[in-house]
Amino acid sequence: RRDAPAGGEWRQRTEEQWRGKAQVREVEEEERQEHHGKESVPRGTCQTMCPTRELQDRQLQNCLHRFELLAGTERDRRPRGDPLRAVKEYSRPAAGKDSTNSSDLRPAAVLLKTVCYLIDKVAASPHLRPWTEASVISPVYNFVFDRLRGVKQDMIIQRSSGLNCVAILERTVRFLIYASYRLCGEPLRLYDPRINDTHLQENLSWLLDCYATGTEPHPNQEEFQALGLLYNLAQHIMELPERLRCSPAVTLALSINRAFNERNPVRVLRLARRLNFIQSCALHRHLVSCRRDLLLIYSHGFNSRNCRFPLDRLAQLLCLDASLTTRLCQAHGVEVNRDNQLIFSKAAFTEPEQEQLHCKLYHNIVAEKQRDHSVGDIIHGCT
């Protein structure tokens, strides 16, 4: 043809057309996948704390927890489950198992109701005690911990977000922080701090991400930003808006964070007195190393044969009574004479075995702040 483009020009136009068509196809594919992804997110329809099918299956298999049994059937050969007390348990993903069945998933409102039940009727119940004990099968903590994992599993499958999601995560984080303090020092067969810590970090990270990406107001954001700082003592605070950085709770947590990283245990312990109970629970796992650092610093600073340091003064700095201070000093090789005076020596300072330091004995600074706050008030944030 006379009006046909030259060979080079023709090839150029052809390549542009193909590129244009390819780009259109890519955009259409992305839109199709996005639309398909939105449609494929399952939405729960179960309006009870435990799906009917699971309750029937576990009843047939005699796998109901003692907290879920119908009153009066506990001694039966096959006890029956109480639909008002049974809670969906956590189950590991398995090949061939459909975990997206809408009738087995609970919507966000039902999940929040389930969490409140676990707190009010199980964790805070004065009748279901103790939280953990060797002679008790599946104690309170294990039951609540497992059922909260089940709640989280439903939330992940449904990609939950919004205010109900935040309310659930806030209560879960408080429960795990409180458990890390209350069950500190328990045998591993009853309570594993590493597993508790792993789930606490995951829930806290998810919660802080909800705060960062959400558009709704979050009145408890300052509280949990401070708890994250105290629990991890990690300086991510500069990423926060100035309004949060200047809030009293975050400012205090940041001061403790800075003192800890500067190896200033005296200031850490002094500032720790200003924390409320749940904040003290978050910080308590760092108190052992703070007290150890204080004794090490004093062993070098007061290293003299003729130097004597009053026991009551050290007890005040450590936030312990005299007997526990004496016990802690002796575990680290610090001599206590008959006149209740300490003789520090950097050569005598020793690192005690983990078995010699029972963290639970040194919880004075935390325990005295609980006062008459109930477990329910602590986890719901009503203190």
Side-chain angles (χ1 to χ4, degrees), residues 17 28 37 75 100 116 118 170 208 256 272 313 369 374:
Q17 291 174 356
E28 290 177 348
R75 298 183 180 277
T100 62
C116 291
L118 291 171
E170 287 178 346
L208 297 182
I256 293 175
R313 173 59 181 157
K369 296 181 181 182
S374 68

Side-chain angles (χ1 to χ4, degrees), residues 350-361:
T350 58
E351 298 287 355
E353 297 291 335
Q354 191 65 31
E355 294 76 16
Q356 291 182 269
L357 287 180
H358 298 285
C359 180
K360 201 167 186 175
L361 294 174

Side-chain angles (χ1 to χ4, degrees), residues 5 26 58 65-66 68 77 87 123 153 168-169 172-173 175 182 185 206 228-229 239 242 248 255 263 294 310 341:
E26 288 178 2
R58 288 204 283 135
H65 195 281
R66 63 188 180 94
E68 302 173 310
R77 186 178 66 85
V87 183
Q153 189 176 47
I168 290 169
L169 291 172
T172 302
V173 169
F175 169 79
R182 177 163 178 170
W206 187 358
L229 270 173
E239 302 171 4
E242 184 178 357
S255 298
R263 298 291 295 274
L294 191 151
Q341 295 176 329

